[in-house]
Amino acid sequence: MRLVLVGPPGAGKGTQAQFISAHLSVPQVSTGDIFRANVSQGTPLGKQAREFMDAGDLVPDDVTVAMVHDRLADEDARKGFLLDGFPRNVPQAKTLDGLLLEMGTVLDVVLELVVDDDEVGRRCGHSWHVDFDPPTREGICDNCGGELFQRDDDQPETIRHRLEVYYVQTAPLVGFYAEQGILVGLDAMGPVDDVTDRAIASLRPFSRT
Ligand code: AMP
């Protein structure tokens, strides 16, 4: 299955991406994770991306698209993938359609994680301590089941800006994919496991195996 996850920062996208890709046995391709790995290794790509990430802005499309192009050409992504964090705007989505066309394939489904705005702020605001107050499950808040972050771009100002960037640049993808008839809305409120179960159930009709 070739799948894209879309949702605002703090909707639990990274966590769901992990569980859903494991369930579908497809690689999880998270552009944010790839950028972060490059930043921490100090690669040229990381140096290019860092200032945009720290500001909560999108890394320029040419840089991002080249990275995704290379990743999708890897052997493990030939039969399917789950894209998390890409595309992030309509131009990236159009480029992705072109890349897939070259590969002789198309996206099967786009899953939109739907949460209310309050929840987004609340989840983003959660904090815990790695050593003194760790959550029961790594990366998941014991209180609300939301995704936990420990990132340089998690300062309150930057969170607000990333939300703005999401609504202005990324949210139009919902209409773009609805028009293609491949958008599925997922109620992403509530405990993580329940959301995963709902996600898997809603993807079943799109499975080709
Ligand atoms: P994420 O972990 O998906 O929230 O991504 C963290 C940061 O990486 C974002 O705030 C952007 O700066 C950058 N990033 C991730 N994916 C993309 C993308 N598809 N296009 C541009 N920038 C991206």
Side-chain angles (χ1 to χ4, degrees):
M1 189 182 286
R2 293 176 180 83
L3 161 78
V4 165
L5 285 197
V6 177
K13 201 157 45 69
T15 306
Q16 292 303 330
Q18 211 177 315
F19 293 145
I20 296 167
S21 62
H23 179 85
L24 298 174
S25 303
V26 293
Q28 173 188 350
V29 177
S30 300
T31 43
D33 288 350
I34 303 175
F35 279 134
R36 275 185 290 279
N38 277 276
V39 168
S40 64
Q41 288 160 19
T43 67
L45 176 64
K47 285 181 184 140
Q48 269 179 300
R50 179 168 204 155
E51 60 172 306
F52 298 99
M53 297 174 72
D54 285 350
D57 285 320
L58 295 186
V59 177
D61 286 352
D62 54 342
V63 176
T64 308
V65 164
M67 183 178 87
V68 171
H69 177 271
D70 289 351
R71 180 64 187 91
L72 294 187
D74 288 345
E75 188 59 39
D76 68 335
R78 293 274 163 85
K79 291 211 179 90
F81 51 74
L82 182 155
L83 278 169
D84 155 34
F86 183 92
R88 216 49 168 244
N89 56 30
V90 172
Q92 288 184 6
K94 288 182 175 168
T95 306
L96 176 63
D97 282 349
L99 286 181
L100 294 176
L101 197 67
E102 274 173 30
M103 294 163 68
T105 190
V106 290
L107 280 179
D108 294 304
V109 58
V110 175
L111 199 59
E112 181 202 0
L113 273 65
V114 181
V115 290
D116 63 40
D117 282 356
D118 287 354
E119 180 73 359
V120 171
R122 204 164 63 79
R123 287 190 185 191
C124 275
H126 273 302
S127 62
W128 87 117
H129 196 284
V130 184
D131 298 317
F132 303 120
D133 185 23
T136 317
R137 285 166 70 186
E138 201 186 323
I140 295 173
C141 177
D142 288 345
N143 289 338
C144 74
E147 192 175 0
L148 288 172
F149 297 87
Q150 196 187 40
R151 300 170 16 165
D152 292 343
D153 58 357
D154 260 356
Q155 304 307 312
E157 263 309 305
T158 317
I159 291 172
R160 255 194 299 281
H161 185 59
R162 281 167 56 219
L163 270 175
E164 239 170 65
V165 168
Y166 176 79
Y167 287 112
V168 174
Q169 301 199 47
T170 308
L173 289 178
V174 170
F176 178 82
Y177 286 123
E179 250 172 56
Q180 291 193 6
I182 55 171
L183 184 80
V184 171
L186 172 72
D187 172 8
M189 303 286 288
V192 171
D193 291 345
D194 293 355
V195 177
T196 308
D197 289 347
R198 286 197 290 274
I200 288 164
S202 66
L203 292 174
R204 223 162 266 139
F206 298 88
S207 173
R208 296 186 214 180
T209 51

